[in-house]
Amino acid sequence: MIKYFMPINPSPSSTSKPSTMNNETPIDQASGKRPRVEVEVSDNDIVSDPGLRNPIDSFPLEMRDTLRRRYLAKGPCQPVGHQFPQTNKRRFLPNWFKRFAWLEYSVSKDKAFCLYCYLFPNKGNNSNKGGGNTFTEVGYSNWKNGMQNFIAHEGGPESPHTFARIKVEQYQNQRENIDFVFSSKNVANDDEYRVRLTTVVRVAQYLLGEGLAFRGHDESPKSMHRGHFLELLNWFCKYNEEANKAMLSNAPKNNQLTSSTIQRHIIEACGKETRKVILNEIGDKFFSLLLDEARDSSMKEQMAVVLRFVNDVGEIVERFVGVVHVIETSAQCLKNAVDEFFAINGLSLSRLRGQGYDGASNMRGELNGLKALILNENKHAHYIHCFAHQLQLVVVSAAEENHDVSQFFDYVSMIVNMVGSSCKRHDALRQAHHDKVVQKLQSGEISKGQGQNKEISLARPGATRWGSHYKTLLRLFDMWDSLKEMLFAIQQDGEIRKNRGTARGLLDKMGSFEFVFLGKLMLYILGVTDPLSKILQAKDQNIATAVRMVEALKCKLHAYRENGWENLLKETTEFCLKHKIEVPSMDEIIESRRITLVDGEPMTYIHHFRVEIFAMVIDEVAEELNNHFNEENTNLLKGVLSLDPSNNFAHFDHHEILQLARLYFEDFSTAELAELHYQLELYIDVVRGDPYFYNLVDVGALAIKMVKHKYHICFPLVYRLIELALVLLVATATFERCF
């Protein structure tokens, strides 16, 4: 919101009684002057769609200058890439935007408007020339004679459009602005103002780039720390003579450009310029939408917006483009916010080819979720559930479904909380582990080396990030002896009786074979899933690589179930013998659990550990993998996998790729599908025989190579399919990093 004050001169009749002419503030009888009125121009007053705007004359006189500045800074509404609808076999041509700088298009009304005539409407005798109010209020839609009528609207030197254009040019020239004429006494003042503005903008750019706060708790001159903005500004002026002279010596008190309002306006301007660069980079390319919402510290719901696309050199790019305030998090409210954001920034929903959310019901609901609302308007905006989220859900489900695993993690959390809740215990544990490492180095049990034997502490697992449990288990086994010594010390000398009892129970658990067995088993499962989770969260991952990696994980788990029991039992037994933990005989009967099996035999240790824990946990993980990664878009994934260049294009399937193109029926006409058939035959022979395309690992590398060697020009339809495959989402970690 922009606020400014404007003094209003009193009318000649103001001496007799208070005047309320034009709904203005009454004149003060004591001073004989009208007080300054605060005029506000909110973002709601700036409407991107010209067909939905109120006439400029309907706004108060004091607001019109600000509205004109905002609209001219924003530029005409020209939605590049929009699928313009046909009317009587005619449609709006996007090439008209390049020919007529004033031309605007209303998506809601499918009509054309003139920005210049809207900002400076002509109410004179010749106001009916050039189409009258057609280009300002009604809207123009005769596409058959569009070019001729647009030229006729511009008219000659005396046309209303020409007068409006001249006013726009004068208005954009700051030296012709009356405010500038009165505020600038000479060229020196102009130069000093430019230096002040440049200095302030540079400081703001640095703080924005580093993500630092601008304001300080106490910004008074006597404060020792006035905030990053003022402190950095003073530091810069101290070492820059020109800035020091303009900012500190000659700056008027009301024109120092350091107020919080000025800071906010500079931040907004930097955001708009950054967003403009990103949107220009996207152009009319296909893109995908990533969304997430969260509540900030001021209890406002905020929605982060990220766009994914393929740039001009074939690289996958994910750009954070803004945070949008939403009243509520219902699907319809989020959809309205998306539509408004697209309209403001000139994005077209018709170019959207993918959606990615965190899996909440208001986002991915099949009937009324945001995914469904967007699919109703664009059938090609395919939704892919975040692979990283699905992988995390696999591990979480396995832990929750199996009682032994769930109980094991409860005990691990208790151990971490018992040791980490006190700084004294935390430091003592770290020192104890350090002493043991020194002893092992002196005895030659472990070797020295750069990056080895670093000081570590027991990591606390996260409630929603199961990858953190892997690090916790690694350090648990690495600091095993030190942990037992710490728990024993708490049992003996703990100040709180409850802690002494809890420490004793945890010592008993750590001294059991089952606890070690569960820890080693989960360490392996988390170990094979943790690297995959990190790789899936990379910005440059594509759907083909993700599917191949998930399939590899399934095969690895299956092989471990068939052949990993002996190694796991051996590793657990060796650890228990080393730390003097009793190892039960696998053929013995479990006395504490005399539960008979189906065939009437009693429960043995080998059945409990191998069947009830080892096999069951791996089966649950494998089942969850199949459930979460069994995507509905089977044909879509098959087509993307067929484009995979690994192993010299071993996955190439001509039929599946054509099926993929048919799924995007609006992007490939019947004639283009026929041409794609012949392009694919030549394409696969060329790339398999070109040494530059050897040893490619994924579709992303293929796109970069095609652009580098100009193959995207030789095979444009194939490259279009590759672009569509790359914009499909793999993970939604980017917008989570935004918060």
Side-chain angles (χ1 to χ4, degrees), residues 388-389 392-393 396 461-469:
H389 273 91
Q392 179 174 309
L393 291 173
V396 172
T464 58
R465 298 183 64 85
W466 277 79
S468 62
H469 287 71

Side-chain angles (χ1 to χ4, degrees), residues 163-221:
F163 283 116
R165 178 181 57 79
I166 293 174
K167 289 181 180 180
V168 168
E169 292 173 353
Q170 293 175 346
Y171 204 84
Q172 289 177 325
N173 184 1
Q174 193 179 25
R175 292 189 178 276
E176 297 294 333
N177 189 293
I178 191 66
D179 294 334
F180 180 84
V181 173
F182 280 110
S183 63
S184 300
K185 296 181 180 180
N186 48 49
V187 177
N189 290 345
D190 185 15
D191 294 338
E192 290 178 357
Y193 177 80
R194 182 176 290 105
V195 172
R196 285 196 296 274
L197 180 61
T198 303
T199 303
V200 170
V201 170
R202 286 177 178 174
V203 171
Q205 286 177 327
Y206 175 81
L207 295 177
L208 289 172
E210 296 298 321
L212 298 175
F214 278 58
R215 305 295 303 280
H217 176 68
D218 182 5
E219 295 186 346
S220 63

Side-chain angles (χ1 to χ4, degrees), residues 467-608:
S468 62
H469 287 71
Y470 176 59
K471 183 184 295 184
T472 301
L473 292 184
L474 281 175
R475 296 188 177 180
L476 175 70
F477 284 105
D478 193 20
M479 307 174 70
W480 187 271
D481 291 333
S482 302
L483 274 172
K484 292 188 69 174
E485 291 179 5
M486 179 58 61
L487 291 174
F488 183 77
I490 297 174
Q491 176 191 345
Q492 297 295 324
D493 305 323
E495 297 178 358
I496 302 175
R497 180 180 300 176
K498 181 180 179 182
N499 288 346
R500 294 198 297 267
T502 303
R504 181 176 180 178
L506 294 176
L507 278 172
D508 292 340
K509 278 295 174 183
M510 291 183 66
S512 66
F513 179 86
E514 182 172 348
F515 186 87
V516 178
F517 181 84
L518 284 167
K520 292 294 184 180
L521 174 61
M522 294 310 301
L523 192 61
Y524 177 83
I525 294 176
L526 292 172
V528 295
T529 56
D530 184 67
L532 176 59
S533 177
K534 293 178 180 178
I535 293 173
L536 289 177
Q537 295 180 52
K539 294 181 181 180
D540 57 350
Q541 280 299 325
N542 59 74
I543 200 75
T545 305
V547 172
R548 285 196 290 111
M549 294 177 69
V550 171
E551 292 299 323
L553 176 60
K554 292 179 181 179
C555 296
K556 193 171 187 65
L557 286 175
H558 177 73
Y560 186 69
R561 188 189 187 281
E562 297 298 324
N563 307 312
W565 162 253
E566 297 296 337
N567 291 333
L568 177 62
L569 181 61
K570 179 182 178 181
E571 184 180 357
T572 305
T573 302
E574 289 177 352
F575 184 88
C576 289
L577 293 176
K578 180 180 178 181
H579 295 86
K580 300 179 181 180
I581 298 174
E582 183 180 356
V583 179
S585 175
M586 292 293 108
D587 296 329
E588 290 183 4
I589 298 174
I590 305 177
E591 295 295 337
S592 60
R593 295 181 59 188
R594 281 194 168 273
I595 304 174
T596 57
L597 302 178
V598 178
D599 55 3
E601 296 182 1
M603 177 77 70
T604 59
Y605 280 104
I606 190 171
H607 179 87
H608 172 62

Side-chain angles (χ1 to χ4, degrees), residues 242-292:
E242 184 183 22
N244 181 64
K245 181 180 177 180
M247 291 296 300
L248 303 179
S249 303
N250 299 326
K253 191 173 182 179
N254 61 347
N255 196 14
Q256 293 180 347
L257 304 179
T258 57
S259 69
S260 59
T261 303
I262 296 296
Q263 294 177 33
R264 187 173 67 252
H265 289 172
I266 292 175
I267 293 172
E268 292 175 355
C270 290
K272 290 179 180 178
E273 289 300 316
T274 304
R275 191 180 298 114
K276 185 185 298 184
V277 173
I278 296 173
L279 296 176
N280 289 337
E281 188 180 12
I282 295 176
D284 60 348
K285 299 181 179 70
F286 301 119
F287 64 93
S288 291
L289 177 67
L290 292 85
L291 292 180
D292 194 17

Side-chain angles (χ1 to χ4, degrees), residues 322-351:
V323 175
V324 181
H325 170 61
V326 291
I327 302 176
E328 57 179 353
T329 58
S330 64
Q332 188 59 54
C333 183
L334 295 177
K335 176 61 168 57
N336 295 338
V338 171
D339 291 340
E340 182 178 357
F341 183 85
F342 275 32
I344 291 174
N345 294 283
L347 294 169
S348 175
L349 193 66
S350 62
R351 307 299 290 177

Side-chain angles (χ1 to χ4, degrees), residues 216-233:
H217 176 68
D218 182 5
E219 295 186 346
S220 63
K222 296 182 180 180
S223 174
M224 297 296 293
H225 181 71
R226 303 175 64 190
H228 291 129
F229 181 81
L230 294 179
E231 292 290 344
L232 185 59
L233 184 62

Side-chain angles (χ1 to χ4, degrees), residues 263-403:
Q263 294 177 33
R264 187 173 67 252
H265 289 172
I266 292 175
I267 293 172
E268 292 175 355
C270 290
K272 290 179 180 178
E273 289 300 316
T274 304
R275 191 180 298 114
K276 185 185 298 184
V277 173
I278 296 173
L279 296 176
N280 289 337
E281 188 180 12
I282 295 176
D284 60 348
K285 299 181 179 70
F286 301 119
F287 64 93
S288 291
L289 177 67
L290 292 85
L291 292 180
D292 194 17
E293 48 83 19
R295 183 176 298 176
D296 63 11
S297 57
S298 62
M299 302 302 291
K300 291 183 178 180
E301 292 289 351
Q302 305 284 357
M303 182 177 70
V305 183
V306 177
L307 302 180
R308 176 186 173 100
F309 60 97
V310 180
N311 63 13
D312 293 334
V313 298
E315 296 174 342
I316 306 171
V317 179
E318 291 183 359
R319 300 292 191 199
F320 168 64
V321 292
V323 175
V324 181
H325 170 61
V326 291
I327 302 176
E328 57 179 353
T329 58
S330 64
Q332 188 59 54
C333 183
L334 295 177
K335 176 61 168 57
N336 295 338
V338 171
D339 291 340
E340 182 178 357
F341 183 85
F342 275 32
I344 291 174
N345 294 283
L347 294 169
S348 175
L349 193 66
S350 62
R351 307 299 290 177
L352 187 65
R353 290 298 178 269
Q355 311 177 58
Y357 317 119
D358 61 356
S361 59
N362 62 332
M363 296 284 197
R364 64 186 295 262
E366 295 296 331
L367 299 178
N368 299 316
L370 177 62
K371 176 192 77 171
L373 296 178
I374 292 180
L375 283 173
N376 290 338
E377 298 185 23
N378 183 355
K379 299 298 182 183
H380 298 323
H382 297 287
Y383 172 78
I384 302 294
H385 191 182
C386 172
F387 275 55
H389 273 91
Q390 293 185 77
L391 188 62
Q392 179 174 309
L393 291 173
V394 167
V395 184
V396 172
S397 299
E400 291 178 347
E401 291 295 330
N402 189 280
H403 172 74

